[in-house]
Amino acid sequence: MKHSLDILPLKSWIDTGDKPLIIAGPCSAETEEQLVSTAHLLANTGKVNVLRAGIWKPRTRPGEFEGIGSIGLEWMKRAKAETGLLTATEVATAKHVEEALAAGIDVLWIGARSTANPFTVQEIADALQGVDVPVLIKNPVNPDLSLWLGALERVNRAGIKKLGAIHRGFSSYEKTAFRNEPMWDLAIQLKTIVPELPIINDPSHICGNRELIPYVTQKAMDMDMQGLIIESHIDPSVAWTDAKQQVTPAALADLLDHLSIRKPESNNPAFEDKLAELRGQIDKLDDQIIKQIGDRMKIAEKIGEFKRDNNVTILQVSRWDEIVQKRVQLAKALNLSEEFTVKYLELLHNESIRKQNEIMNANPVTEA
């Protein structure tokens, strides 16, 4: 289902030419020298549009570095004056908004912890009433698309038309190579729901380490995201926060040099004709798959009737394990990932159980 936001195109509020928007800078503003020196190095690359730095840092536990505070805004002003870079920082309260705007910060973003709390988002939105400033909203910590969309709607209703989203990954109990699971499908869903919304990828927080950042940045560009927000520090080894995921300005420049930037469309008629042909083949196969799923569910209904008549439970774990094991082996032979196969089977299984449950628990028809 499409949602409509009253927003302006990204290119109308930040001119990046034909290139993606690049926001870069240290995780935290630590000292004036650290911030300004990093800003100069980033500006010298000629590849960065906006300098980012955390002024107020929401920390998990008390006693950790919670940001340098308002004095850092003055350092941001100096960095902008000396380099010409626009500036951006995170805001989590109405007071943050007021101080950042008073200091001339050009772009604000709302962090993942704040997005998860509608009260916090509304407080920030109220502080933004009547203000013309770009605002980017990170996805909530947990994979909840409604919370993400709700935060965007609250800020948009406050009159903010220069609006974008930041995809920074989601918390997961499973231990993987990523600090936060990308869950690309959720970002794709948001883009599908609000096609006009610019989405910026945050590979630093997805990866949690600098080694994976090139892989994620390229995938983000291939997903047609409109930009990147990457943490960059003059010397990451001594960074006060998130040292492992920050890159030097030189490493950032090298990373950007090696990115392949592809276009979402082509004006080549031969390409369009071939693409239409291949999509036609997919449409035909999709129709066949849906029909076969329908046929499968009719059999599931018959199984439900048979179980009901013989007083047998719906769920039989041994049968489910057998299905998964056999199908995963077949899927591997067909070069399909195990993750996709299991998710697909789970959807089919859940629908089969739903249908069997309806049959086994339907109210009996009685004659008057």
Side-chain angles (χ1 to χ4, degrees), residues 17-319:
D18 293 329
K19 298 179 180 179
L21 170 66
I22 304 299
I23 303 172
C27 173
S28 301
E30 300 163 356
T31 67
E32 186 171 7
E33 180 182 2
Q34 166 254 3
L35 180 62
V36 175
S37 296
T38 301
H40 276 283
L41 291 174
L42 291 170
N44 289 342
T45 68
K47 303 176 185 299
V48 175
N49 308 108
V50 182
L51 170 70
R52 58 140 291 152
I55 301 300
W56 305 278
K57 301 294 297 181
R59 310 308 297 171
T60 302
R61 301 178 65 183
E64 297 177 341
F65 177 62
E66 296 184 335
I68 204 68
S70 303
I71 186 64
L73 296 171
E74 297 302 315
W75 307 343
M76 295 279 277
K77 288 173 66 174
R78 178 187 163 193
K80 178 180 178 179
E82 293 185 10
T83 66
L85 292 174
L86 299 176
T87 54
T89 197
E90 177 179 348
V91 292
T93 68
K95 187 172 185 294
H96 291 170
V97 173
E98 293 165 3
E99 292 190 18
L101 293 176
I105 299 297
D106 300 287
V107 180
L108 308 180
W109 80 79
I110 298 175
R113 290 180 175 89
S114 298
T115 304
N117 187 338
F119 291 111
T120 299
V121 175
Q122 191 60 56
E123 177 187 341
I124 295 170
D126 291 343
L128 289 167
Q129 286 281 352
V131 175
D132 181 22
V133 63
V135 178
L136 304 174
I137 301 180
K138 289 195 174 187
N139 63 254
V141 175
N142 296 317
D144 189 327
L145 187 60
S146 293
L147 274 177
W148 199 2
L149 183 59
L152 289 158
E153 289 173 332
R154 288 177 186 275
V155 172
N156 191 219
R157 289 179 182 180
I160 299 299
K161 295 186 177 183
K162 298 173 181 176
L163 187 65
I166 297 177
H167 170 231
R168 51 81 77 190
F170 302 85
S171 177
S172 172
Y173 287 111
E174 296 180 8
K175 297 297 182 183
T176 71
F178 298 107
R179 176 180 176 181
N180 294 291
E181 278 297 305
M183 299 188 188
W184 298 99
D185 55 318
L186 287 176
I188 292 170
Q189 286 181 50
L190 181 64
K191 188 67 173 176
T192 302
I193 292 171
V194 195
E196 70 274 18
L197 180 73
I199 300 181
I200 311 301
N201 182 259
D202 179 353
S204 302
H205 282 89
I206 288 175
C207 298
N209 65 76
R210 62 185 65 89
E211 288 76 18
L212 283 172
I213 288 178
Y215 165 76
V216 171
T217 54
Q218 184 59 64
K219 185 157 186 175
M221 294 298 96
D222 292 343
M223 293 289 184
D224 194 29
M225 293 191 178
Q226 283 66 57
L228 302 164
I229 177 168
I230 301 179
E231 292 185 348
S232 181
H233 192 289
I234 192 170
D235 185 359
S237 67
V238 298
W240 296 2
T241 53
D242 288 346
K244 293 181 180 180
Q245 68 189 40
Q246 299 193 65
V247 299
T248 64
L252 175 65
D254 183 65
L255 182 155
L256 297 176
D257 279 337
H258 287 86
L259 271 184
S260 295
I261 307 300
R262 300 176 174 93
K263 298 179 179 179
E265 297 177 349
S266 172
N267 294 323
N268 184 342
F271 169 84
E272 293 296 333
D273 289 345
K274 184 62 178 179
L275 185 62
E277 177 190 336
L278 294 172
R279 284 174 171 169
Q281 294 176 24
I282 284 181
D283 290 343
K284 184 177 180 180
L285 289 169
D286 283 345
D287 289 343
Q288 294 173 0
I289 291 169
I290 294 297
K291 183 180 181 302
Q292 289 182 336
I293 290 175
D295 292 341
R296 187 189 192 281
M297 292 307 159
K298 289 178 182 177
I299 297 173
E301 290 173 353
K302 291 181 180 179
I303 291 174
E305 294 171 356
F306 193 57
K307 287 179 178 178
R308 178 196 62 198
D309 295 343
N310 288 272
N311 204 29
V312 174
T313 60
I314 295 175
L315 181 61
Q316 293 167 325
V317 176
S318 59
R319 170 59 178 161

